Amino acid sequence: MASIAPVTGRGPTTVDTLDVGQASAMPAEEVLAALGSGPSGLSDESAARRLRSHGPNAVRTHAVSPSAVLLRQLRSPLLVLLAAAAAVSFAVGRHPDAVIIGIILLGSVGLGFANEFRAERAAAMLHERIRHTAVCLRGDRPLSLDVTDLTPGDVVRLSAGEIVPADVRLLAVQSLTCDESVLTGEGRPVPKQTGPVEAGAALAELSCCALMGTVVHAGIGTAVVVATGGRTRFGLVALQLGTRHPETRFQAGLRRFSELLLGVAAVLTVAIFVINLLLARPLLQALLFSLAIAVGITPQLLPAIVTTSLASGSRRLARIKVLVKRLVCIEDLGDVDVLVTDKTGTLTRAAVAYAEALDPYGDPRPAVATLGLVCADPSARGGGNPLDVALWQAGLPEPVGWKVLAGVPFDHERRMASVLADDPDGVRLLVVKGAPESVLARCEDVPDRAEQVLGDRFAAGARVIAVASRPALDVTAVSPADEARLHLAGFLVFADPVKPDANEAVARLTDLGIAVKIATGDNALVTAQVCAQIGMTGPLVLTGADVDRLDDAALVDAADQATAFARVTPEHKARIVRALREHGRAVAFLGDGVNDALGLHAADVGISVDTATDVVKDAADVILLDKDLHVLADGVVEGRRIFTNTVKYVLMGTSSNFGNMFSAAAASAFLPFLPMLPSQILLNNLLYDTGQLAIPSDRVDPEQLRSPSHWDLHLIRRFMLFFGPISSVFDFLTFAAMIGVLHAGPALFRSGWFVESLATQTLVIFAIRTRRTPFFRSRPSTLLVFAAGAVVLAGVLIPYSPWAAVLGFRPLPATFLLAVGVMVVAYLALVEGGKRLFYAEPAGAPAARWRNTAHAVGRRAARFSHRRHARPLRLRTAARPRLRAGRRPGWDRRR
């Protein structure tokens, strides 16, 4: 592999020779020197020069290549064989047939190319609007840069909830731990430090490094980038998996369906070819006819239909205030059957209001509010912790004369914050406020009445924090260890009323087959009260302590049964999500605080809101412009609508295409001529496909949206075998009318069957698109009606057109057109009756969805996407992962 031009730094080693394994065995100062960097990072000029040399920090590309899209249209071996056969036909003197086949093939390829290219450009524009950023030092100035703009030598800052943006050598850490399961399979967070490790250490033992694609579980750190893009350990794995984005269950189902039809096409093609040879028909004619049959049964426009549906779906979602970062997120959203959500702002109004200050006996005591303000974060005056914001906005008297000296900020393990402060009289106190359970556990001589006061407020649905203090006369610094031997001052009570429409929103999600579960840091009694107010009767509430007591296997069942989880930490939330996914459930997680980032990364679909913190929005797959469960329900419905419309195309292809092609195979066995010329079959298929492009616009019945969207290949196979023969029955009736009544020759026979087959396979969409009575109880979209009508009209008019003779058609008698109309109506009526019988059989339970490491890597790799290509680099260390046979890292090309 050609080497990449080195970038010379101030140290003795070029950046191209330094990978994370080597950096882990070197002191941090030597790593900086080797990379030609320093604690203040690179200069803008040096960074720009290196970025030009190394390329973007990307393992995926969203560049749209017209040639790649065109190649996907041409990669069908059937099309290639048909084009080759047409060329041979032209060479042996059958010029008109060859030219007609060539024109129709070009039209078919052009139709697929135009639609898929347009949808690909829409997807690329979506990627361009989404930014994943990292904080980087450039000349000692902290900048927020796109992760794809990082280059070796950059100094970056890491904080909880972020994805590590590259392979980095740590320079400084504070309680830093990382979740590296995406690379190592180790589910527990790994503590990090800055000292070098032994040379040749395994990937899981690189404690002084953080790896691209892993999640910062807790703490903060500063690090220097040593490898980017395809040079990283994550990048190597991602590139080995191929350049495609992760295959969803929906896409896998489409692939298996296409393989099924290709198998059917192969059998029919061989059978028809052999039959025609046995009937002593010309070899070239037999080959063209059998290949045309195979092309007719394959779903050539399926990729275009799916991509077009998703692209138009993303635009509709944007109109209903739902933004998706990647098109496949729409499919995942429709697949969701469990939603884990926070409480504040989703189910409650998020307008947390200060209500009262009470002493331990429940009597009003304003001094407690003063202590609460002393301990409150002063930056919350402009936003932040909602309880501190509510205190500052309550109009309470300012704590004049108090002097704060030191403090320990709130964290989700202690669930408390504390400050060391001098009161107006100069008395030094340690003031602590936080979750009542945590504060009371550190207090002495708590009156029994305090527990009752707490219980009454919790039962009323109020949010309560406890405030305590103790003298600290000779203390100059404070740590969590000092939060002991406290005296309970009292309680601060806040109101956070439930949204008026929360009950309706939860009921709507339940009607959509989605189990709603609450995960909150609030008290269990308050959580249970909120559950009761929104109609979640008889809630089973697990606390964080309960989660800690359960091992992973026990938590799987407990999480599935629970309605809500109270007093949970960020790690609890991620663990709960992973446990729910063990049941094969598709889990969405909705959150907007930094403490929600781990849950978002663990979920199948991470959902946040536009007002969330940057870390959380970066972790999310879907952004809601309104933090409203109704908006989320609208997004789920749109995802399912797209899935349902795609399945309509699939079911129609299995019923009508299979039936028509089977009829052609049977007719060729007993007719003295071909039932339809290869060019006529291809023209029929082209017109049919053109009409199907309107399917993504179709309406969907409400009952089709009431359960998660699951792919069912068994149902599709049954549908093909049930309705395909019904289509063939009417084809045989057409044959009988043409031969027995009209005594048709080859041209008239082909014209009649062309019109009848095109009409039946196009109009059957109106019966297949719904389980209701078409038009009367389920109206199709106007565009679909227009498209289907236009295709049928074109099919009827072609035998009367100036090109009819060239195409091998002749005008049809009016009596036959009338007979065709009667047969089409009878066919649709029979399909409608068969539909009632077919759907009377109960559907089986959907298969559980299991997602492997490849899916996790592919999904996370999507954030490292660039319009340019990713560059892998052959590592010179023994730790380089083994590549699959026949694959080597290379330029990342459009899928």
Side-chain angles (χ1 to χ4, degrees), residues 831-868:
V831 169
E832 189 65 23
K835 187 172 69 176
R836 303 287 188 266
L837 181 63
F838 180 83
Y839 287 118
E841 179 179 331
R849 283 140 290 168
W850 305 109
R851 301 160 182 86
N852 55 23
T853 302
H855 183 274
V857 171
R859 182 169 177 253
R860 193 156 296 170
R863 70 178 44 243
F864 300 102
S865 177
H866 195 272
R867 69 173 67 90
R868 290 172 59 193

Short mmCIF file of all heavy atoms in Angstrom, two decimals, residues 831-868:
data_model
loop_
_atom_site.label_atom_id
_atom_site.label_comp_id
_atom_site.label_asym_id
_atom_site.label_seq_id
_atom_site.Cartn_x
_atom_site.Cartn_y
_atom_site.Cartn_z
N VAL A 831 -59.40 -11.35 -5.58
CA VAL A 831 -58.29 -11.02 -4.68
C VAL A 831 -58.83 -10.48 -3.36
O VAL A 831 -58.33 -10.81 -2.28
CB VAL A 831 -57.35 -10.00 -5.34
CG1 VAL A 831 -56.35 -9.44 -4.31
CG2 VAL A 831 -56.59 -10.63 -6.50
N GLU A 832 -59.88 -9.66 -3.46
CA GLU A 832 -60.47 -9.09 -2.24
C GLU A 832 -61.04 -10.21 -1.36
O GLU A 832 -60.85 -10.21 -0.14
CB GLU A 832 -61.57 -8.10 -2.63
CG GLU A 832 -62.12 -7.30 -1.47
CD GLU A 832 -61.09 -6.37 -0.86
OE1 GLU A 832 -60.12 -6.00 -1.55
OE2 GLU A 832 -61.26 -6.03 0.32
N GLY A 833 -61.71 -11.18 -1.97
CA GLY A 833 -62.22 -12.31 -1.20
C GLY A 833 -61.09 -13.17 -0.64
O GLY A 833 -61.15 -13.62 0.51
N GLY A 834 -60.07 -13.40 -1.45
CA GLY A 834 -58.92 -14.18 -0.98
C GLY A 834 -58.19 -13.48 0.15
O GLY A 834 -57.64 -14.13 1.06
N LYS A 835 -58.20 -12.17 0.12
CA LYS A 835 -57.55 -11.39 1.18
C LYS A 835 -58.20 -11.67 2.53
O LYS A 835 -57.51 -11.81 3.55
CB LYS A 835 -57.65 -9.91 0.81
CG LYS A 835 -56.88 -8.98 1.71
CD LYS A 835 -56.90 -7.56 1.14
CE LYS A 835 -58.29 -6.96 1.22
NZ LYS A 835 -58.31 -5.56 0.76
N ARG A 836 -59.53 -11.77 2.55
CA ARG A 836 -60.24 -12.07 3.79
C ARG A 836 -59.83 -13.44 4.33
O ARG A 836 -59.61 -13.62 5.52
CB ARG A 836 -61.75 -12.05 3.56
CG ARG A 836 -62.30 -10.75 2.99
CD ARG A 836 -62.32 -9.66 4.06
NE ARG A 836 -63.02 -8.48 3.56
CZ ARG A 836 -62.40 -7.44 2.98
NH1 ARG A 836 -61.10 -7.48 2.80
NH2 ARG A 836 -63.08 -6.39 2.58
N LEU A 837 -59.70 -14.41 3.42
CA LEU A 837 -59.31 -15.75 3.83
C LEU A 837 -57.85 -15.79 4.28
O LEU A 837 -57.50 -16.41 5.28
CB LEU A 837 -59.53 -16.72 2.67
CG LEU A 837 -59.20 -18.20 2.92
CD1 LEU A 837 -60.10 -18.77 4.01
CD2 LEU A 837 -59.36 -19.00 1.62
N PHE A 838 -56.99 -15.10 3.55
CA PHE A 838 -55.57 -15.12 3.85
C PHE A 838 -55.27 -14.53 5.22
O PHE A 838 -54.52 -15.10 6.01
CB PHE A 838 -54.80 -14.34 2.77
CG PHE A 838 -53.31 -14.29 2.98
CD1 PHE A 838 -52.51 -15.34 2.58
CD2 PHE A 838 -52.72 -13.19 3.59
CE1 PHE A 838 -51.14 -15.30 2.77
CE2 PHE A 838 -51.35 -13.15 3.80
CZ PHE A 838 -50.55 -14.21 3.39
N TYR A 839 -55.87 -13.38 5.52
CA TYR A 839 -55.57 -12.70 6.78
C TYR A 839 -56.36 -13.27 7.96
O TYR A 839 -56.20 -12.81 9.09
CB TYR A 839 -55.84 -11.20 6.66
CG TYR A 839 -54.81 -10.50 5.82
CD1 TYR A 839 -55.16 -9.85 4.64
CD2 TYR A 839 -53.47 -10.48 6.20
CE1 TYR A 839 -54.21 -9.21 3.86
CE2 TYR A 839 -52.51 -9.84 5.43
CZ TYR A 839 -52.89 -9.21 4.27
OH TYR A 839 -51.94 -8.58 3.51
N ALA A 840 -57.23 -14.25 7.69
CA ALA A 840 -57.95 -14.89 8.80
C ALA A 840 -57.01 -15.72 9.65
O ALA A 840 -57.27 -15.97 10.83
CB ALA A 840 -59.09 -15.75 8.27
N GLU A 841 -55.89 -16.18 9.05
CA GLU A 841 -54.91 -16.98 9.81
C GLU A 841 -54.10 -16.04 10.70
O GLU A 841 -53.54 -15.05 10.23
CB GLU A 841 -53.97 -17.70 8.85
CG GLU A 841 -52.93 -18.54 9.56
CD GLU A 841 -52.02 -19.26 8.57
OE1 GLU A 841 -52.50 -19.57 7.46
OE2 GLU A 841 -50.86 -19.51 8.92
N PRO A 842 -54.05 -16.31 12.01
CA PRO A 842 -53.33 -15.41 12.92
C PRO A 842 -51.84 -15.38 12.60
O PRO A 842 -51.24 -16.40 12.24
CB PRO A 842 -53.59 -16.01 14.31
CG PRO A 842 -53.92 -17.46 14.05
CD PRO A 842 -54.63 -17.48 12.70
N ALA A 843 -51.29 -14.19 12.72
CA ALA A 843 -49.85 -14.03 12.45
C ALA A 843 -49.05 -14.53 13.64
O ALA A 843 -49.47 -14.44 14.78
CB ALA A 843 -49.53 -12.55 12.19
N GLY A 844 -47.90 -15.08 13.36
CA GLY A 844 -47.02 -15.55 14.43
C GLY A 844 -46.35 -14.38 15.13
O GLY A 844 -46.33 -13.25 14.65
N ALA A 845 -45.81 -14.66 16.29
CA ALA A 845 -45.11 -13.62 17.05
C ALA A 845 -43.84 -13.22 16.30
O ALA A 845 -43.16 -14.06 15.72
CB ALA A 845 -44.76 -14.13 18.44
N PRO A 846 -43.52 -11.92 16.29
CA PRO A 846 -42.31 -11.49 15.60
C PRO A 846 -41.06 -12.02 16.28
O PRO A 846 -41.04 -12.20 17.50
CB PRO A 846 -42.38 -9.95 15.69
CG PRO A 846 -43.24 -9.68 16.88
CD PRO A 846 -44.24 -10.80 16.92
N ALA A 847 -40.07 -12.29 15.49
CA ALA A 847 -38.81 -12.80 16.06
C ALA A 847 -38.11 -11.72 16.85
O ALA A 847 -38.21 -10.53 16.54
CB ALA A 847 -37.90 -13.29 14.92
N ALA A 848 -37.43 -12.13 17.92
CA ALA A 848 -36.66 -11.18 18.70
C ALA A 848 -35.50 -10.65 17.86
O ALA A 848 -35.00 -11.34 16.98
CB ALA A 848 -36.13 -11.84 19.97
N ARG A 849 -35.08 -9.42 18.16
CA ARG A 849 -34.01 -8.81 17.38
C ARG A 849 -32.72 -8.84 18.19
O ARG A 849 -32.66 -8.26 19.27
CB ARG A 849 -34.36 -7.36 17.04
CG ARG A 849 -35.37 -7.25 15.93
CD ARG A 849 -36.37 -6.17 16.20
NE ARG A 849 -37.24 -6.58 17.28
CZ ARG A 849 -38.05 -5.75 17.89
NH1 ARG A 849 -38.10 -4.51 17.55
NH2 ARG A 849 -38.84 -6.17 18.86
N TRP A 850 -31.73 -9.53 17.67
CA TRP A 850 -30.45 -9.60 18.36
C TRP A 850 -29.43 -8.84 17.52
O TRP A 850 -29.31 -9.04 16.33
CB TRP A 850 -30.01 -11.05 18.55
CG TRP A 850 -31.05 -11.86 19.26
CD1 TRP A 850 -31.84 -12.83 18.73
CD2 TRP A 850 -31.45 -11.72 20.62
NE1 TRP A 850 -32.70 -13.31 19.68
CE2 TRP A 850 -32.48 -12.65 20.85
CE3 TRP A 850 -31.04 -10.90 21.67
CZ2 TRP A 850 -33.11 -12.79 22.08
CZ3 TRP A 850 -31.66 -11.05 22.90
CH2 TRP A 850 -32.68 -11.99 23.10
N ARG A 851 -28.68 -7.97 18.16
CA ARG A 851 -27.74 -7.12 17.44
C ARG A 851 -26.33 -7.44 17.91
O ARG A 851 -26.06 -7.43 19.11
CB ARG A 851 -28.09 -5.65 17.69
CG ARG A 851 -29.51 -5.33 17.23
CD ARG A 851 -30.02 -4.07 17.90
NE ARG A 851 -31.39 -3.79 17.51
CZ ARG A 851 -32.45 -4.32 18.12
NH1 ARG A 851 -32.29 -5.15 19.14
NH2 ARG A 851 -33.66 -4.02 17.73
N ASN A 852 -25.45 -7.69 16.97
CA ASN A 852 -24.10 -8.11 17.32
C ASN A 852 -23.15 -6.92 17.37
O ASN A 852 -23.54 -5.77 17.17
CB ASN A 852 -23.59 -9.17 16.34
CG ASN A 852 -23.68 -8.68 14.91
OD1 ASN A 852 -23.69 -7.49 14.64
ND2 ASN A 852 -23.73 -9.62 13.97
N THR A 853 -21.88 -7.22 17.61
CA THR A 853 -20.87 -6.16 17.70
C THR A 853 -20.75 -5.40 16.40
O THR A 853 -20.55 -4.18 16.40
CB THR A 853 -19.51 -6.77 18.08
OG1 THR A 853 -19.65 -7.47 19.32
CG2 THR A 853 -18.46 -5.70 18.23
N ALA A 854 -20.89 -6.09 15.28
CA ALA A 854 -20.78 -5.42 13.98
C ALA A 854 -21.82 -4.32 13.85
O ALA A 854 -21.55 -3.23 13.32
CB ALA A 854 -20.94 -6.44 12.85
N HIS A 855 -23.03 -4.58 14.34
CA HIS A 855 -24.08 -3.56 14.28
C HIS A 855 -23.70 -2.36 15.14
O HIS A 855 -23.89 -1.20 14.74
CB HIS A 855 -25.41 -4.15 14.74
CG HIS A 855 -26.56 -3.19 14.66
ND1 HIS A 855 -26.85 -2.30 15.68
CD2 HIS A 855 -27.47 -2.96 13.69
CE1 HIS A 855 -27.90 -1.59 15.34
NE2 HIS A 855 -28.28 -1.96 14.14
N ALA A 856 -23.16 -2.60 16.34
CA ALA A 856 -22.78 -1.51 17.24
C ALA A 856 -21.67 -0.67 16.63
O ALA A 856 -21.71 0.56 16.67
CB ALA A 856 -22.35 -2.07 18.59
N VAL A 857 -20.66 -1.33 16.04
CA VAL A 857 -19.56 -0.60 15.41
C VAL A 857 -20.07 0.21 14.24
O VAL A 857 -19.75 1.39 14.08
CB VAL A 857 -18.45 -1.58 14.96
CG1 VAL A 857 -17.41 -0.86 14.11
CG2 VAL A 857 -17.79 -2.21 16.17
N GLY A 858 -20.88 -0.42 13.39
CA GLY A 858 -21.39 0.29 12.21
C GLY A 858 -22.23 1.49 12.58
O GLY A 858 -22.15 2.54 11.96
N ARG A 859 -23.07 1.33 13.61
CA ARG A 859 -23.94 2.44 14.03
C ARG A 859 -23.11 3.61 14.56
O ARG A 859 -23.37 4.76 14.24
CB ARG A 859 -24.90 1.94 15.11
CG ARG A 859 -25.90 2.96 15.60
CD ARG A 859 -26.96 2.28 16.45
NE ARG A 859 -27.90 3.25 17.00
CZ ARG A 859 -27.94 3.61 18.27
NH1 ARG A 859 -27.08 3.09 19.12
NH2 ARG A 859 -28.81 4.49 18.69
N ARG A 860 -22.09 3.31 15.36
CA ARG A 860 -21.27 4.38 15.92
C ARG A 860 -20.37 4.99 14.86
O ARG A 860 -20.02 6.17 14.93
CB ARG A 860 -20.45 3.86 17.09
CG ARG A 860 -19.81 4.96 17.91
CD ARG A 860 -19.52 4.51 19.32
NE ARG A 860 -20.76 4.20 20.03
CZ ARG A 860 -20.79 3.61 21.22
NH1 ARG A 860 -19.66 3.26 21.80
NH2 ARG A 860 -21.93 3.36 21.81
N ALA A 861 -19.99 4.21 13.86
CA ALA A 861 -19.11 4.72 12.81
C ALA A 861 -19.80 5.82 12.00
O ALA A 861 -19.13 6.64 11.38
CB ALA A 861 -18.68 3.58 11.88
N ALA A 862 -21.13 5.86 12.02
CA ALA A 862 -21.86 6.85 11.22
C ALA A 862 -21.53 8.27 11.65
O ALA A 862 -21.65 9.20 10.86
CB ALA A 862 -23.36 6.59 11.33
N ARG A 863 -21.10 8.47 12.93
CA ARG A 863 -20.78 9.83 13.36
C ARG A 863 -19.45 10.30 12.79
O ARG A 863 -19.16 11.49 12.78
CB ARG A 863 -20.77 9.92 14.88
CG ARG A 863 -19.63 9.23 15.56
CD ARG A 863 -19.65 9.40 17.07
NE ARG A 863 -20.97 9.23 17.62
CZ ARG A 863 -21.64 10.20 18.24
NH1 ARG A 863 -21.10 11.40 18.40
NH2 ARG A 863 -22.84 9.97 18.73
N PHE A 864 -18.60 9.37 12.33
CA PHE A 864 -17.33 9.73 11.72
C PHE A 864 -17.48 9.64 10.21
O PHE A 864 -16.85 8.82 9.55
CB PHE A 864 -16.22 8.81 12.24
CG PHE A 864 -16.04 8.88 13.73
CD1 PHE A 864 -16.56 7.90 14.56
CD2 PHE A 864 -15.37 9.95 14.31
CE1 PHE A 864 -16.40 7.96 15.92
CE2 PHE A 864 -15.21 10.02 15.70
CZ PHE A 864 -15.73 9.02 16.50
N SER A 865 -18.35 10.48 9.67
CA SER A 865 -18.67 10.47 8.24
C SER A 865 -18.30 11.81 7.63
O SER A 865 -18.48 12.86 8.24
CB SER A 865 -20.16 10.19 8.05
OG SER A 865 -20.51 10.23 6.69
N HIS A 866 -17.76 11.75 6.41
CA HIS A 866 -17.26 12.97 5.77
C HIS A 866 -17.56 12.90 4.28
O HIS A 866 -17.75 11.82 3.72
CB HIS A 866 -15.75 13.10 6.01
CG HIS A 866 -15.20 14.46 5.71
ND1 HIS A 866 -14.75 14.83 4.47
CD2 HIS A 866 -15.02 15.55 6.51
CE1 HIS A 866 -14.30 16.09 4.51
NE2 HIS A 866 -14.46 16.54 5.73
N ARG A 867 -17.58 14.04 3.64
CA ARG A 867 -17.83 14.05 2.20
C ARG A 867 -16.63 13.51 1.43
O ARG A 867 -16.75 13.10 0.28
CB ARG A 867 -18.18 15.45 1.72
CG ARG A 867 -17.03 16.44 1.76
CD ARG A 867 -17.41 17.76 1.11
NE ARG A 867 -18.43 18.42 1.88
CZ ARG A 867 -18.15 19.29 2.88
NH1 ARG A 867 -16.91 19.53 3.22
NH2 ARG A 867 -19.11 19.87 3.53
N ARG A 868 -15.46 13.53 2.07
CA ARG A 868 -14.28 12.92 1.46
C ARG A 868 -14.15 11.49 1.97
O ARG A 868 -14.94 11.02 2.75
CB ARG A 868 -13.03 13.73 1.81
CG ARG A 868 -12.96 15.09 1.12
CD ARG A 868 -11.80 15.90 1.66
NE ARG A 868 -10.54 15.20 1.45
CZ ARG A 868 -9.39 15.57 2.04
NH1 ARG A 868 -9.38 16.58 2.89
NH2 ARG A 868 -8.29 14.89 1.79
#
